[in-house]
Structure formats: structure tokens, C-alpha cells
Amino acid sequence: MANKKNDSLIVLAETIADNKFITGDRLVEIGISGPTLEASLSSIAMAQAELGHARLMYKWSNELQGLNASKMEVKEQTGKAFPALVNASNWLSLIAGLYANNQAVDLVIKAILKAEPPNLPTPFNKMIREQQEHLLYAKSWCKQLLRDRGAVPRVFKQHLEKAVAEVEQWLVKVEKDPQLQSEAIILNNSNLVKTFKSEIEQLTNFEEVQHV
Amino acid sequence: MTKKSQRHEYFLFTRINRGDDLIQVGSLLAENADLAKIYAQHIYDEETWVEMQVVRKDHLIEVRLPEPLFAKGGVSCG
């Protein structure tokens, strides 16, 4: 399976894995001092799942490269994680990064599953299911922070915009990647960027409706 | 950060095996039903429940309440 044809797919897998790896790490580091006990406990539980997803994606990437995936040891990311997530240092930036990243990964993985690329193993069912939960958590917290008091909504919006911009750039690359398209891994009509933008719009418009 | 008043108390009811009684095993505070479901799964994970249900405490309908042990009293001012 290891050949030049897989280069883009390996980069894609590593990007998802790196972001999951960092998300897991940040969910523990920052989530432990979350705003409520319940939010912190959930954050730690989700960290375990995110690290599991990272491991799955690194394993997938190794298999695509023809490496021995069973002897894999993950110590650090490969440098493809989004800076907003890497530099997350408080609850607001963590939630913004968690939402933007999981929303994008969800769209990409579902697009791959929809394309049903031949001869490509896609072991993502459990990950997709768990990710829906993480997405719901992040979305609920986004909504709360957007309608919180004082400077919270404004500062959170800034973090969200930063995280969304980085993720959107990545989605543009994925959507237009000639190799992913020629191998029918991401279809021409996947509309990744459009769907992502529409999800973000729905989230931020929800807040405007709440203020009316 | 988040206003405490936005949070509601939810009761968690679970069933361990099929056919078991649905029993209340605990409660939690959550901002909305979606988060209540997620929190319940993450906090009360000591069993592999076949069924989990959360209900907002203030959505329960009172049929009967225990008689108070003591009469309600207060400190009169002046």
C-alpha cells in the first residue's frame, strides 16, 4: 500500500492524528480546572477517547506507509497540529479548538466513508460515534460561552475565529487536493468548506437569535 | 464564568441488566439536556448499564411528599 499515491492521505491521517493527540493532552491539562466539576470529569473522559482516536489514526497512517503498526509508540505529534489548539491555554481557547477541530474531522472522515474508496480500510465507526458526543459537548459549551456575561463572549469569539480560520485553511487544501480526488478518497462534490462554514454560521447565528 | 443559575439538577435512572428495575443512582448539575446526557455517561461509568435516563428534577410531578418533621419556622425581625 506504501506508494506515492498515498502521500496526501498520509498527511491527512497525520494531521487528524496530531490534532487528536494535542486535543487529548489539552483536555487533561486545561479541562482538569474546568468551570464545573461535571465539565472537568467529562473533559478527562473525552481526553482518553481523543488519545485513542489519535492512536487509531497514527496506526492507519503507518499501515498506509507499509510500516509495522503494531510496534507503534506515539511520543509526540508530527508537527501538523493546528497552532490554535497547540497554544490553547484556557477554557475558552480549548472549547473553540475542540469544536472547530472535531467539526472538521467529522466532515472529512464522513466524506471519506461516503466516497467508499476501493482497497482502503476505513476503521472509523467507533471514532465517529464517540466524536459525535465530543462535538455535542463542544457545541453546547460554545453556545454557553457565546451567551455568557462580561468579556467572555467577545474573547471566546476571537478564539473561535482563530481556530476556525486555521481549520478552514486545512479543509480547503483537503478539498482541492488532486491526489485525494484522483484516488476518489475525497469526492469533487464533498463541499467540505461550504458545510463547515454553514455549521459555524449556524452556531454564531444561534447566538444572535438568542439576543433578539 | 458560567452563571450558577443556568444549571439544573438532573436525576439519573439506570438499569444494569435487561429486566432489572430502573433505579435512581445519582444526580448531576448540567446546563442543558444534551450536556446532562454526556455528563451522566462520563460520570456514572462504573457499570455497563443497559439503560440510562436523565430527568430534570423540576420536571418531576409531585404526587405525594413526606410530611415535614418540624414546622417551618423563621426568625421574626422586630
Side-chain angles (χ1 to χ4, degrees):
Chain A
M1 198 100 193
N3 55 37
K4 284 274 177 199
K5 278 182 180 178
N6 281 334
D7 283 357
S8 292
L9 189 56
I10 290 162
V11 171
L12 178 106
E14 284 181 349
T15 307
I16 295 174
D18 280 357
N19 280 297
K20 292 272 182 189
F21 182 76
I22 295 295
T23 304
D25 179 71
R26 302 284 87 195
L27 279 169
V28 175
E29 287 289 326
I30 303 165
I32 193 72
S33 48
T36 66
L37 177 64
E38 287 86 351
S40 288
L41 290 168
S42 273
S43 181
I44 306 297
M46 288 193 305
Q48 281 184 317
E50 288 286 341
L51 292 172
H53 299 170
R55 196 170 174 76
L56 176 80
M57 296 309 291
Y58 282 126
K59 190 170 175 256
W60 193 52
S61 157
N62 278 7
E63 282 168 1
L64 292 170
Q65 293 172 69
L67 301 171
N68 186 354
S70 62
K71 287 189 178 171
M72 180 188 64
E73 201 175 333
V74 184
K75 284 185 178 164
E76 56 188 17
Q77 60 140 329
T78 65
K80 297 181 188 71
F82 303 131
L85 205 51
V86 176
N87 299 323
S89 57
N90 55 48
W91 186 252
L92 304 186
S93 47
L94 171 71
I95 294 297
L98 178 70
Y99 174 68
N101 181 45
N102 268 334
Q103 184 64 72
V105 170
D106 192 56
L107 291 173
V108 170
I109 295 289
K110 282 180 179 166
I112 295 174
L113 291 175
K114 193 178 165 194
E116 292 180 343
N119 307 321
L120 182 70
T122 49
F124 309 128
N125 285 342
K126 186 169 177 267
M127 182 173 120
I128 287 271
R129 211 172 45 243
E130 288 174 350
Q131 199 166 254
Q132 287 305 317
E133 207 176 77
H134 299 189
L135 206 46
L136 197 59
Y137 175 94
K139 216 176 201 174
S140 286
W141 267 103
C142 283
K143 286 176 183 173
Q144 276 187 74
L145 295 171
L146 284 168
R147 60 167 184 248
D148 212 311
R149 287 185 295 196
V152 173
R154 180 180 52 81
V155 177
F156 177 69
K157 256 185 191 168
Q158 288 169 355
H159 284 300
L160 187 64
E161 278 165 15
K162 201 177 161 195
V164 163
E166 289 175 4
V167 170
E168 208 176 295
Q169 255 184 345
W170 173 63
L171 284 179
V172 170
K173 265 194 218 167
V174 171
E175 197 173 58
K176 292 189 174 163
D177 191 295
Q179 207 178 66
L180 293 176
Q181 290 201 355
S182 65
E183 292 295 312
I185 293 164
I186 299 284
L187 300 178
N188 279 332
N189 60 354
S190 60
N191 290 327
L192 292 176
V193 178
K194 195 180 160 194
T195 318
F196 182 70
K197 277 183 177 172
S198 141
E199 288 288 342
I200 300 295
E201 251 176 52
Q202 269 181 38
L203 180 75
T204 43
N205 284 346
F206 155 85
E207 181 47 23
E208 280 162 23
V209 172
Q210 293 287 310
H211 279 149
V212 173
Chain B
M1 194 183 279
T2 304
K3 292 165 273 183
K4 293 266 182 204
S5 59
Q6 287 177 335
R7 305 174 74 205
H8 304 282
E9 189 172 0
Y10 288 82
F11 286 149
L12 171 68
F13 295 86
T14 62
R15 212 187 295 276
I16 300 177
N17 297 307
R18 280 174 187 274
D20 284 352
D21 290 336
L22 190 66
I23 50 170
Q24 194 209 333
V25 291
S27 65
L28 53 98
L29 291 170
E31 294 75 6
N32 56 47
D34 283 338
L35 281 176
K37 287 196 281 187
I38 295 170
Y39 290 164
Q41 289 194 70
H42 289 159
I43 298 168
Y44 294 93
D45 63 348
E46 66 271 23
E47 288 276 356
T48 42
W49 316 105
V50 290
E51 187 176 342
M52 293 177 96
Q53 306 266 3
V54 282
V55 62
R56 242 173 83 168
K57 186 184 174 185
D58 56 6
H59 286 180
L60 291 177
I61 301 162
E62 289 172 8
V63 179
R64 186 183 295 174
L65 289 173
E67 290 291 325
L69 293 173
F70 303 102
K72 264 190 183 174
V75 179
S76 60
C77 303

